[in-house]
Amino acid sequence: IFLSLARVSCSKELPPTVGLRFPSSNTDLKNHSCHAGALCVGPGQLYPLGRVPGVKWSSRFVVPELPAKFDKSSMTYYDYLNVFWRQNPEGGFMNQFVPQLMLGNALANSTNAPDYTPIWIEMDSWHVGSQYFMALCNGTLGTFDCQNWIPKAATGKLVPVEPGEMVETSFVLKEEQGCCKKKSRLDWILRIGVVGGGPERQSVVIVDRPFMGLVNSTHSWGEAIYDDIYVGSCLENYNMKSAESYPPSLEIHVRVRDAPGRDETFWHDWNLDHAPGCPWQPVSMITNAIHKSAQRVKWKAELKGDRRGHTNASLTESNALR
């Protein structure tokens, strides 16, 4: 399949939820560059992979040691690979798949069906959990006010993890064949868990409909509005007090694989999407390798010299060859 670069729109915006999952007690941090912000990398373009069955996005990382300076009530850690859509149906505001590593005061749970009300939890040790974060605009069809929105989340179980354990994340779009003359259905499977830990140490969310059916203007992942998707990686950490508020090390290996038999032309070099502007934030180094049906990206974010209280490095590698 040949897909013209003209199909891909440029964007240097943040992931839609950056700054919007603060615990209510910490909303005053939004205006402080060192306390509130995210270090994010991505291609700066949307990829036309949002409704292609067989596409798989996955990552592996070793759980780091806890930060040297940490407070579970005032600090929030969301570290992840995510995918999300910038175009939304009428009545929907945000649309993000974000299985993640979490610590501190974080949105880590929800009531799930039927209301999907998000729940913030204080954690003094690392946890992983699968998550679909979304929001509904206030109002009714034709009169929606998306400046005022209601957060919603579908979450898998919260899994405690220990430093040194290997964790894997994946997003897979599967086509489920219907029976009895019913049409096939597209399901996204969001998964995060400890490698070799079995089902008990896996967190899974199955998303069979956009916005979990809460938005009446959309019904299937096969709709054209979901064609173009954004992928990126973020260290979305809030209320960092110093360089020692970052974990001593974090190394993530991400694999993004297109559907079999497709040779694509839309891959784009990843760059720094956003940095909070703090003088002691990690320094990023990014390298790219592009192939016919794959892309490899290596991101190393490291605290240098006297800005770290101990060795601190994070690495993200996107390898679409596997």
Side-chain angles (χ1 to χ4, degrees):
I1 297 174
F2 178 81
L3 295 169
S4 169
L5 283 172
R7 291 195 61 205
V8 186
S9 58
C10 290
S11 175
K12 285 294 184 182
E13 299 175 19
L14 283 170
T17 61
V18 167
L20 300 179
R21 291 187 296 167
F22 284 103
S24 59
S25 59
N26 286 350
T27 54
D28 60 319
L29 299 177
K30 291 183 180 180
N31 296 321
H32 194 302
S33 63
C34 287
H35 291 178
L39 189 64
C40 297
V41 298
Q45 293 192 2
L46 301 174
Y47 287 162
L49 295 175
R51 54 190 183 118
V52 179
V55 172
K56 181 178 180 179
W57 323 73
S58 64
S59 71
R60 284 191 175 194
F61 63 85
V62 175
V63 178
E65 296 294 327
L66 290 171
K69 292 183 179 179
F70 164 68
D71 179 79
K72 70 175 183 179
S73 297
S74 65
M75 294 182 178
T76 300
Y77 295 78
Y78 301 117
D79 298 334
Y80 53 81
L81 172 77
N82 75 152
V83 296
F84 56 90
W85 288 264
R86 297 215 182 274
Q87 189 176 5
N88 290 309
E90 189 171 8
F93 178 50
M94 291 177 290
N95 198 4
Q96 181 190 31
F97 296 162
V98 59
Q100 59 200 341
L101 178 69
M102 295 172 284
L103 182 68
N105 196 345
L107 195 174
N109 208 343
S110 79
T111 61
N112 283 317
D115 296 325
Y116 297 97
T117 302
I119 298 171
W120 278 259
I121 298 174
E122 293 184 5
M123 296 169 285
D124 59 8
S125 61
W126 292 114
H127 288 69
V128 296
S130 192
Q131 186 173 134
Y132 174 24
F133 187 78
M134 54 198 151
L136 312 182
C137 302
N138 276 326
T140 57
L141 194 64
T143 61
F144 284 115
D145 175 13
C146 292
Q147 296 297 316
N148 296 291
W149 47 271
I150 304 166
K152 298 290 182 179
T155 56
K157 67 182 178 183
L158 199 58
V159 178
V161 292
E162 298 293 333
E165 290 188 306
M166 179 74 73
V167 170
E168 184 171 65
T169 302
S170 67
F171 318 95
V172 180
L173 182 61
K174 295 183 65 177
E175 185 172 15
E176 298 293 340
Q177 298 296 328
C179 68
C180 310
K181 298 183 179 180
K182 291 183 179 180
K183 293 182 178 179
S184 62
R185 187 186 73 208
L186 292 175
D187 290 353
W188 278 98
I189 314 298
L190 321 181
R191 189 185 305 271
I192 189 168
V194 177
V195 174
E200 292 302 313
R201 304 203 69 199
Q202 297 283 321
S203 179
V204 181
V205 172
I206 299 175
V207 187
D208 62 353
R209 291 168 293 170
F211 294 87
M212 304 306 287
L214 297 175
V215 174
N216 293 329
S217 63
T218 182
H219 305 285
S220 168
W221 291 114
E223 296 167 19
I225 192 174
Y226 303 115
D227 191 18
D228 294 328
I229 194 170
Y230 197 85
V231 58
S233 185
C234 288
L235 306 180
E236 186 184 347
N237 302 330
Y238 300 119
N239 206 17
M240 304 293 97
K241 304 297 186 182
S242 68
E244 290 181 284
S245 296
Y246 284 88
S249 65
L250 180 60
E251 183 171 305
I252 308 173
H253 296 266
V254 180
R255 294 174 178 86
V256 182
R257 185 183 64 211
D258 197 1
R262 288 162 49 99
D263 290 339
E264 307 297 9
T265 62
F266 52 72
W267 302 115
H268 193 271
D269 283 353
W270 285 33
N271 291 286
L272 190 65
D273 270 353
H274 182 263
C278 180
W280 39 257
Q281 70 191 28
V283 174
S284 288
M285 293 159 283
I286 304 167
T287 58
N288 292 270
I290 295 175
H291 306 268
K292 285 185 177 180
S293 61
Q295 179 181 34
R296 179 181 292 131
V297 179
K298 182 178 180 180
W299 172 35
K300 184 175 183 180
E302 186 174 21
L303 293 169
K304 297 289 188 178
D306 59 4
R307 289 189 293 174
R308 63 185 184 190
H310 39 220
T311 301
N312 184 322
S314 63
L315 174 69
T316 298
E317 178 180 312
S318 175
N319 179 359
L321 297 178
R322 293 178 59 186

